[in-house]
Amino acid sequence: MPKRILQGTVVSDKCAKTVTVKVERKIKHPMYGKIMRRSKKYAAHDETGCKIGDVVRIIESAPISKTKRWAVVEKVSSAASDVA
């Protein structure tokens, strides 16, 4: 069975070598037909040093810790820098 690959946004990078990635998907309500957004957060192992706001791809992996079962494969785009 192939490993799943998901794309999402980094919402937390406070832990060492761990980022929290929020993955959003759109589903259609079974009765009313309205398109709704559903999201889920995954703890992913990160060796590259991603920052909050980066869009990354994560892949399933063997359990790394109690909550980490995903690893960052690549950074799709960087967070927009602050223009102040």
Side-chain angles (χ1 to χ4, degrees):
M1 187 153 88
K3 295 182 179 182
R4 290 183 291 169
I5 296 176
L6 301 175
Q7 183 170 319
T9 307
V10 176
V11 292
S12 175
D13 62 351
K14 294 184 179 189
C15 299
K17 296 187 179 181
T18 303
V19 291
T20 303
V21 180
K22 181 178 179 181
V23 176
E24 285 192 349
R25 62 190 178 93
K26 292 183 179 178
I27 63 161
K28 187 175 183 179
H29 191 279
M31 183 174 180
Y32 300 116
K34 179 180 172 124
I35 303 298
M36 302 181 298
R37 289 188 306 168
R38 293 286 179 243
S39 63
K40 189 170 180 180
K41 292 183 194 174
Y42 297 95
H45 185 69
D46 175 36
E47 292 284 346
T48 60
C50 297
K51 301 294 178 194
I52 295 176
D54 290 349
V55 178
V56 296
R57 283 200 177 99
I58 57 175
I59 190 168
E60 274 184 311
S61 68
I64 299 166
S65 70
K66 180 180 174 182
T67 58
K68 281 200 293 186
R69 273 103 173 103
W70 296 84
V72 174
V73 177
E74 67 176 328
K75 188 187 303 186
V76 176
S77 65
S78 296
S81 60
D82 294 334
V83 182

